Coordinates of all heavy atoms in Angstrom, one line a residue:
L235 N 99.1 111.9 -31.0 CA 98.4 110.9 -32.0 C 97.3 111.5 -32.9 O 96.9 110.7 -33.8 CB 97.6 109.8 -31.0 CG 98.6 109.0 -30.2 CD1 97.8 108.0 -29.3 CD2 99.5 108.0 -31.1
S236 N 96.9 112.7 -32.7 CA 95.8 113.1 -33.5 C 96.0 113.1 -35.0 O 95.1 112.7 -35.8 CB 95.4 114.6 -33.1 OG 96.5 115.5 -33.2
D237 N 97.2 113.5 -35.4 CA 97.4 113.4 -36.9 C 97.6 111.9 -37.2 O 97.3 111.6 -38.4 CB 98.7 114.2 -37.2 CG 98.6 115.7 -37.0 OD1 97.4 116.1 -37.2 OD2 99.6 116.6 -36.9
K238 N 98.2 111.1 -36.4 CA 98.5 109.8 -36.8 C 97.2 108.9 -37.0 O 97.1 107.9 -37.7 CB 99.4 109.0 -35.8 CG 100.7 109.6 -35.7 CD 101.6 108.9 -34.6 CE 103.0 109.5 -34.5 NZ 103.7 108.7 -33.3
L239 N 96.2 109.4 -36.2 CA 94.9 108.6 -36.2 C 93.9 109.0 -37.1 O 92.9 108.3 -37.3 CB 94.3 108.6 -34.8 CG 95.1 107.9 -33.7 CD1 94.4 107.9 -32.4 CD2 95.6 106.6 -34.1
K240 N 94.1 110.0 -38.0 CA 93.1 110.5 -38.9 C 92.7 109.4 -39.9 O 91.6 109.1 -40.2 CB 93.4 111.8 -39.5 CG 93.4 113.0 -38.7 CD 93.9 114.3 -39.3 CE 93.8 115.4 -38.2 NZ 94.4 116.7 -38.8
E241 N 93.8 108.8 -40.4 CA 93.5 107.8 -41.4 C 92.8 106.5 -40.8 O 91.9 105.9 -41.3 CB 94.8 107.2 -42.0 CG 94.7 106.1 -43.0 CD 96.1 105.7 -43.6 OE1 97.1 106.5 -43.4 OE2 96.2 104.6 -44.2
L242 N 93.2 106.1 -39.5 CA 92.6 105.1 -38.9 C 91.1 105.4 -38.6 O 90.3 104.5 -38.6 CB 93.2 104.8 -37.4 CG 94.5 103.8 -37.4 CD1 94.9 103.7 -36.1 CD2 94.0 102.4 -38.0
G243 N 90.8 106.7 -38.3 CA 89.4 107.0 -37.9 C 88.6 106.8 -39.2 O 87.4 106.4 -39.0
A244 N 89.1 107.1 -40.4 CA 88.2 106.9 -41.6 C 88.0 105.3 -41.7 O 86.8 104.9 -42.0 CB 88.9 107.3 -42.7
E245 N 89.0 104.5 -41.4 CA 88.8 103.1 -41.5 C 87.7 102.6 -40.4 O 86.8 101.8 -40.7 CB 90.0 102.3 -41.2 CG 89.9 100.8 -41.3 CD 91.3 100.1 -41.0 OE1 92.3 100.7 -41.2 OE2 91.2 99.0 -40.6
G246 N 87.7 103.1 -39.2 CA 86.9 102.7 -38.1 C 85.4 103.1 -38.4 O 84.5 102.4 -38.1
D247 N 85.2 104.2 -39.1 CA 83.8 104.6 -39.4 C 83.2 103.7 -40.4 O 82.0 103.5 -40.3 CB 84.0 106.0 -40.0 CG 84.2 107.2 -38.9 OD1 84.1 106.7 -37.7 OD2 84.5 108.2 -39.4
V248 N 83.9 103.0 -41.2 CA 83.4 102.0 -42.0 C 82.8 100.8 -41.3 O 81.8 100.3 -41.6 CB 84.4 101.5 -43.1 CG1 83.9 100.3 -44.0 CG2 84.9 102.7 -44.0
D249 N 83.6 100.5 -40.2 CA 83.2 99.3 -39.4 C 82.0 99.6 -38.4 O 81.2 98.8 -38.2 CB 84.4 98.7 -38.6 CG 85.5 98.2 -39.4 OD1 85.2 97.8 -40.5 OD2 86.6 98.2 -38.9
A250 N 82.0 100.9 -37.9 CA 80.9 101.2 -37.0 C 80.4 102.6 -37.1 O 81.2 103.5 -36.6 CB 81.4 101.0 -35.6
P251 N 79.6 102.9 -37.9 CA 79.1 104.3 -38.2 C 78.8 105.0 -36.8 O 78.2 104.5 -36.0 CB 77.8 104.1 -39.0 CG 78.0 102.8 -39.7 CD 78.7 101.9 -38.5
R252 N 79.4 106.2 -36.7 CA 79.3 106.9 -35.5 C 78.0 107.7 -35.3 O 77.6 108.4 -36.2 CB 80.4 107.8 -35.4 CG 80.7 108.8 -36.4 CD 81.8 109.7 -36.4 NE 81.4 110.9 -35.6 CZ 82.1 112.1 -35.6 NH1 83.2 112.0 -36.2 NH2 81.6 113.0 -35.0
P253 N 77.4 107.7 -34.1 CA 76.4 108.8 -33.8 C 77.1 110.1 -33.8 O 78.3 110.2 -33.2 CB 75.8 108.3 -32.5 CG 76.9 107.5 -31.8 CD 77.6 106.8 -33.0
S254 N 76.5 111.1 -34.1 CA 77.1 112.4 -34.0 C 76.1 113.5 -33.5 O 74.9 113.3 -33.5 CB 77.7 112.8 -35.3 OG 76.6 112.8 -36.3
G255 N 76.6 114.7 -33.2 CA 75.8 115.9 -32.8 C 76.0 116.1 -31.3 O 76.4 115.2 -30.6
A256 N 75.8 117.4 -31.0 CA 76.1 117.8 -29.7 C 75.1 117.1 -28.7 O 75.6 116.7 -27.6 CB 75.8 119.3 -29.5
N257 N 73.9 116.9 -29.1 CA 72.9 116.1 -28.2 C 73.4 114.7 -27.8 O 73.3 114.3 -26.7 CB 71.6 116.2 -28.8 CG 71.4 115.5 -30.1 OD1 72.4 115.5 -30.8 ND2 70.3 115.0 -30.4
V258 N 74.0 114.2 -28.9 CA 74.5 112.7 -28.7 C 75.7 112.7 -27.7 O 75.8 111.9 -26.7 CB 74.9 112.1 -30.0 CG1 75.6 110.8 -29.8 CG2 73.7 111.9 -30.9
D259 N 76.7 113.6 -27.9 CA 77.8 113.7 -27.0 C 77.4 114.1 -25.6 O 78.0 113.5 -24.7 CB 78.8 114.7 -27.6 CG 79.5 114.3 -28.8 OD1 79.6 113.1 -29.1 OD2 80.0 115.1 -29.6
D260 N 76.4 114.9 -25.4 CA 76.0 115.4 -24.1 C 75.4 114.2 -23.4 O 75.4 114.0 -22.3 CB 74.9 116.5 -24.3 CG 75.6 117.8 -24.5 OD1 76.8 117.9 -24.5 OD2 74.8 118.7 -25.0
A261 N 74.5 113.4 -24.2 CA 74.0 112.2 -23.6 C 75.0 111.1 -23.2 O 74.8 110.6 -22.1 CB 72.9 111.6 -24.6

């Protein structure tokens, strides 16, 4: 699915801006 979902990922980011960064993922 990784290639199939790249376009979907862009759409989802519009709906819900993602927190990012190693500290966020670790938390």
Side-chain angles (χ1 to χ4, degrees):
L235 297 174
S236 58
D237 289 338
K238 296 179 182 179
L239 296 186
K240 286 178 181 176
E241 181 180 345
L242 273 182
E245 180 183 334
D247 286 346
V248 171
D249 292 338
R252 53 177 271 195
S254 60
N257 58 332
V258 171
D259 289 338
D260 287 346

